[in-house]
Amino acid sequence: MKKLMSLLAVSLLAVLLVACGGDDNANEGQNGENESASEGGEKIIRAGIGLNQNHPQYKGLLKFKEIVEEETDGEITVETYHSGQLGDDRTMTEALQLGTQEVTVPSTAPIANFVPEFSVFDIPFLFPSEEVADEVLAGDVAQDLLKKLEEKDLVGLAYWENGFRDLTNSERPVETIEDFDGLKIRTMENDLHLAAFEELGANPTPMAFTELFTAMQQGTVDGQENPYATIYLENYFEVQDYVSDTHHVYSPFVFLMSKEFYDGLSEEEQQIVRDAAKEAGEHQIKLNREANAEYLEKLVDEGMEFSEISDEERQKMVDAVQPVIEDFKDDIGAETVDGIMEAVEQAQGE
Ligand code: TK8
């Protein structure tokens, strides 16, 4: 019922936006009627993300725009929107399903609300390194997961990178598992994330990314977890005092396209957007890794206190969250969990 209500709300919002011309980019066809972006003449891709214009994710979107407009000689135009201008991850993903938006690039965690198997990437401490993550995401199990999106009117064109997630808070340094005790931590809207932070002793709250800064500013939550690039570029150092290198989850992004729009493209155009999403993803991942490497130092320069998690303490966290993996294995799908775990072992072994 809740899902139906939110879909109805999104549909009403979409109708209102288009009806009152809320966006001067509305796709007016020749006869002034609104039509889906891939019908009629010029095709328009409305590409929206939650992070701001300084983040490597937006630079990846600009790269996608550059490639697609060049390769199609302007037949396809890409409009880029950042900072949640078109809504939060779940709202934008629903807009793709409705055909009122064409591209968004959420973390895999909120995608799990549409395709539960994607929660496999939320298993804490799954990936030991970026290199192993690269290998596994390029492998059959992860690539097959993208195909499952089509059952939900979505096309997954490529994996991009959000990165290793680290904890910040405004209450105390977090160096041991005991330090999590009672901390009000915002998590992404994903049941596995929620359960994992409960096992660590925190008091987690699921929340859309667009509400996070205000919630920290008002003290509704004590802390959050995201890669250093997001923590720095979203200015979380203004409302958070402590940062710890928990590295508890590696989050991929998925470059999503509306299936309605994708199916309306010619075969050549479909290949162009696929290739562009992959090439722009390589560019985004390179920028993201450069950013994450330098931004911890900048966070300390901005006055945050950094706490390093020892191997011994991290092992206690790994042990504490093990029951969550068993609890969620059926929800995710045992075949997917076992397949990804085997892929990780294989990538580590090489
Ligand atoms: C941005 C989000 C963000 C994610 C989160 O739209 O929600 O904390 O890590 O990157 O997708």
Side-chain angles (χ1 to χ4, degrees):
M1 186 56 181
K2 201 173 155 201
K3 175 88 181 143
L4 177 64
M5 292 306 287
S6 68
L7 268 180
L8 283 173
V10 171
S11 321
L12 180 63
L13 178 66
V15 168
L16 287 173
L17 256 182
V18 168
C20 51
D23 153 357
D24 59 9
N25 301 312
N27 299 311
E28 298 246 333
Q30 304 307 328
N31 53 6
E33 284 167 16
N34 293 302
E35 53 190 5
S36 113
S38 69
E39 292 166 11
E42 189 194 16
K43 295 170 178 136
I44 296 174
I45 291 177
R46 293 159 292 187
I49 59 171
L51 290 161
N52 67 32
Q53 68 278 20
N54 302 315
H55 197 283
Q57 191 189 43
Y58 188 66
K59 293 174 182 158
L61 215 46
L62 293 177
K63 187 73 175 174
F64 174 78
K65 170 185 173 68
E66 175 194 318
I67 297 168
V68 168
E69 291 180 351
E70 187 178 318
E71 292 298 314
T72 64
D73 295 325
E75 270 299 297
I76 299 180
T77 303
V78 181
E79 294 168 359
T80 56
Y81 300 89
H82 55 76
S83 308
Q85 293 167 305
L86 300 184
D88 61 63
D89 288 335
R90 286 180 65 165
T91 304
M92 290 192 280
T93 303
E94 286 162 355
L96 265 56
Q97 293 178 311
L98 290 165
T100 55
Q101 184 180 330
E102 289 67 48
V103 161
T104 192
V105 192
S107 299
T108 49
I111 294 177
N113 296 289
F114 300 84
V115 178
E117 289 88 342
F118 275 91
S119 223
V120 70
F121 298 118
D122 300 302
I123 291 175
F125 306 106
L126 174 71
F127 290 133
S129 68
E130 290 161 344
E131 291 70 25
V132 169
D134 290 345
E135 178 110 12
V136 173
L137 292 171
D140 293 342
V141 179
Q143 291 299 314
D144 287 348
L145 279 184
L146 293 177
K147 293 174 187 151
K148 288 181 179 292
L149 290 160
E150 297 191 17
E151 298 157 21
K152 300 295 180 181
D153 300 319
L154 301 165
V155 180
L157 295 181
Y159 285 103
W160 287 15
E161 178 178 88
N162 195 351
F164 280 103
R165 307 181 72 87
D166 295 298
L167 181 79
T168 66
N169 83 92
S170 56
E171 290 300 306
R172 64 177 90 102
V174 172
E175 295 172 339
T176 68
I177 191 167
E178 289 77 20
D179 293 334
F180 278 93
D181 191 35
L183 281 180
K184 293 182 292 183
I185 302 297
R186 173 267 178 180
T187 67
M188 293 186 282
E189 294 165 297
N190 176 288
D191 293 342
L192 198 158
H193 265 263
L194 214 56
F197 275 90
E198 283 170 348
E199 289 295 336
L200 290 170
N203 176 12
T205 304
M207 183 184 293
F209 182 75
T210 45
E211 297 163 24
L212 175 54
F213 190 92
T214 305
M216 293 189 289
Q217 203 168 34
Q218 295 176 346
T220 315
V221 295
D222 299 324
Q224 65 83 48
E225 39 84 56
N226 254 292
Y228 295 139
T230 297
I231 299 167
Y232 180 74
L233 294 169
E234 296 285 342
N235 300 327
Y236 289 173
F237 52 83
E238 292 173 0
V239 291
Q240 298 278 272
D241 303 315
Y242 305 100
V243 58
S244 306
D245 69 340
T246 49
H247 261 43
H248 51 278
V249 162
Y250 173 93
S251 274
F253 285 134
V254 177
F255 190 101
L256 293 178
M257 182 169 277
S258 159
K259 190 171 185 304
E260 177 187 330
F261 178 80
Y262 181 82
D263 290 347
L265 298 177
S266 67
E267 273 187 32
E268 185 194 6
E269 288 168 334
Q270 289 178 350
Q271 194 58 54
I272 286 171
V273 298
R274 278 192 180 279
D275 293 346
K278 284 192 177 66
E279 184 179 341
E282 288 159 9
H283 177 65
Q284 185 269 337
I285 289 171
K286 178 176 177 297
L287 294 179
N288 206 53
R289 286 180 185 170
E290 289 163 0
N292 277 320
E294 73 173 272
Y295 285 157
L296 173 57
E297 192 177 333
K298 290 188 176 227
L299 288 170
V300 173
D301 292 347
E302 291 291 348
M304 290 191 84
E305 181 181 328
F306 171 64
S307 299
E308 191 163 3
I309 306 289
S310 68
D311 292 345
E312 185 191 356
E313 282 304 321
R314 186 173 278 105
Q315 188 54 52
K316 287 181 191 171
M317 297 172 193
V318 171
D319 298 342
V321 298
Q322 287 310 306
V324 173
I325 301 173
E326 282 316 307
D327 292 349
F328 279 82
K329 192 165 184 176
D330 289 345
D331 294 345
I332 299 170
E335 189 182 341
T336 299
V337 175
D338 293 341
I340 286 287
M341 293 282 198
E342 279 162 32
V344 169
E345 279 171 32
Q346 197 168 7
Q348 276 181 298
E350 285 173 6

